[in-house]
Amino acid sequence: MSKPRLILAVESSCDESAVALVREGGEVVVERVASQSQLHATTGGVIPEVAAREHHLWIPRLLDEILNSPVGKAHVDAIDAVGVTTGPGLVGSLLVGAGVAAAWAWGRGLPIVPVNHLEGHFRAAWLHDADFAGVAPQLPAIGLVVSGGHTLIVHVRSDGVSERLGGTIDDAAGEAFDKIARLLGLPYPGGAALSALAATSTQRVGRSRLPVARTGNEYDVSFSGVKTAAARMALAAAGVPSNEPGRATALQAALRERPVPPAAAAEIAAAAEEAIVTALLERVESALVAYPETGLVVGGGVAANGPLRRGLAAVALRHQRLLSIPPVRWCTDNAAMIGAAAHAALSEGRVAMQDPGRGLKVSASWPFGVEAPT
Ligand code: KG4
Ligand code: ZN
């Protein structure tokens, strides 16, 4: 048998700069992630130009750190290819990763592989290292990718070819978490903080369920109703007069003047989390029923959510399916998952190695399962 391929992977699509060395099969040899979230917390969200400038600083720095680490030094000559996220994401940020990765590959005479960020989240479930052994996921699978920018349910066949079943028709699940967190005065990116606040809620019994609209496609989901209901509850709890300001900025300003009292904030957080999580679980369960022989593979930042993880475990158990979900550090953005996705696309023959001298095309909106834009 030939030696397993080794890939140097680079991720810079949003607000994490990351570099990793990943072996075919998903072993993470070494990785580094530098998050910009503290920087973006000061502005309440990601400003694309600021993110790109930070990647410009951090991607070369992390690359250097990895390659000069003892493990990196021992492996650098064995690298077979460079994998890099070329979409979807912020164009300026993608350009930094793609440019640095292509230049480094060119200097080493190595080929380059464009990787879809959402496929990265899906393939994170294949990762393992000295601290996490995991269980090899099963294909075909129903995939749930839930992040700050995307929410989708896919059916992935054994040969890696996929079909999109549905997803959000408005905000992504993480975006809904972040916007509701902001209403409650929590810093960006509020998902984890909102979940922690929800866990302090005491009024579990008799809580009214926030609305999640059904759409024509049973796998689609809309989170705008949850957001509006949470905003109404927040205004009422804060005692803001009911001629409610419609625009998000006016709403924020009103709630900054009169913040939601802590106990009410915990109730709103719990109700919102329950609504978002339940909506996702219902759609996943429908997909498992419709595709009987599938495993369940979950990824993306929102897959770090405790109630969602527990709910998915219960659904998988009920339908006797293998649930594969990465540890929290590989749910949020990282480069190891990009390496795993590059390996998968290469071994399934869905992507060809490219000459880095020809440059890479990046795309803000490259859909899951579609060939890389050329
Ligand atoms: O995958 P990711 O790191 O970046 C994107 O590709 O978007 O996901 C970030 C998202 C943010 O919206 C963040 O609030 C959310 O994941 N998130 C969570 C939790 N941890 C991160 N949402 C709910 N509960 C969590 N524990
Ligand atoms: Zn992501």
Side-chain angles (χ1 to χ4, degrees):
M1 211 182 101
S2 61
K3 182 167 73 59
R5 206 186 295 115
L6 183 65
I7 283 190
L8 174 79
V10 175
E11 155 65 34
S12 68
S13 67
C14 187
D15 57 352
E16 266 85 28
S17 311
V19 179
L21 274 179
V22 184
R23 226 187 288 278
E24 194 172 357
E27 185 203 341
V28 182
V29 177
V30 57
E31 66 171 329
R32 293 280 190 285
V33 180
S35 175
Q36 306 174 5
S37 63
Q38 275 196 325
L39 177 73
H40 298 304
T42 57
T43 46
V46 179
I47 296 179
E49 293 80 354
V50 176
R53 284 200 292 271
E54 283 294 296
H55 287 303
H56 199 256
L57 187 71
W58 280 97
I59 293 286
R61 196 180 275 183
L62 297 180
L63 191 57
D64 227 47
E65 251 185 52
I66 282 213
L67 296 172
N68 286 310
S69 69
V71 185
K73 278 187 181 152
H75 287 85
V76 64
D77 292 330
I79 297 172
D80 298 296
V82 177
V84 61
T85 310
T86 54
L90 302 169
V91 168
S93 295
L94 291 167
L95 279 171
V96 176
V100 173
W104 191 85
W106 189 87
R108 285 247 154 198
L110 292 173
I112 193 153
V113 182
V115 178
N116 181 297
H117 181 80
L118 303 173
E119 290 192 33
H121 277 307
F122 177 76
R123 296 288 175 170
W126 274 255
L127 295 173
H128 50 91
D129 65 5
D131 299 322
F132 178 79
V135 183
Q138 178 203 330
L139 286 184
I142 294 301
L144 171 70
V145 176
V146 269
S147 72
H150 300 270
T151 295
L152 74 158
I153 298 183
V154 290
H155 171 237
V156 182
R157 296 187 332 205
S158 316
D159 58 3
V161 173
S162 60
E163 160 199 16
R164 185 183 189 279
L165 301 179
T168 182
I169 60 164
D170 39 53
D171 286 349
E175 198 177 353
F177 267 108
D178 293 345
K179 286 181 177 166
I180 296 167
R182 198 169 171 187
L183 288 177
L184 302 177
L186 301 170
Y188 172 86
L194 185 115
S195 186
L197 179 62
T200 68
S201 142
T202 49
Q203 194 195 311
R204 291 253 157 215
V205 183
R207 182 164 55 224
S208 57
R209 177 108 175 258
L210 301 190
V212 175
R214 284 248 163 232
T215 60
N217 172 355
E218 65 175 318
Y219 304 117
D220 277 347
V221 61
S222 158
F223 292 118
S224 68
V226 184
K227 232 174 39 188
T228 309
R232 286 225 168 82
M233 285 171 80
L235 288 172
V240 175
S242 65
N243 56 340
E244 86 198 39
R247 294 174 59 86
T249 41
L251 190 64
Q252 296 299 343
L255 288 170
R256 247 195 320 274
E257 294 236 320
R258 286 205 223 185
V260 180
E267 290 318 314
I268 297 167
E273 179 176 59
E274 190 178 332
I276 295 169
V277 167
T278 307
L280 294 171
L281 293 175
E282 284 172 358
R283 276 123 188 110
V284 165
E285 188 153 19
S286 299
L288 290 178
V289 170
Y291 293 86
E293 299 299 317
T294 49
L296 175 57
V297 175
V298 184
V302 180
N305 182 271
L308 179 62
R309 293 174 83 92
R310 290 191 286 279
L312 288 164
V315 168
L317 187 66
R318 194 153 58 239
H319 295 273
Q320 299 283 294
R321 305 303 172 86
L322 178 69
L323 168 65
S324 305
I325 182 164
V328 169
R329 65 195 156 110
W330 289 326
C331 288
T332 46
D333 287 351
N334 64 85
M337 69 183 198
I338 301 305
H343 281 301
L346 284 170
S347 59
E348 289 159 359
R350 289 182 289 107
V351 71
M353 302 262 200
Q354 296 187 15
D355 170 4
R358 296 183 52 229
L360 280 174
K361 188 163 169 121
V362 303
S363 163
S365 57
W366 176 14
F368 188 106
V370 172
E371 263 181 47
T374 50

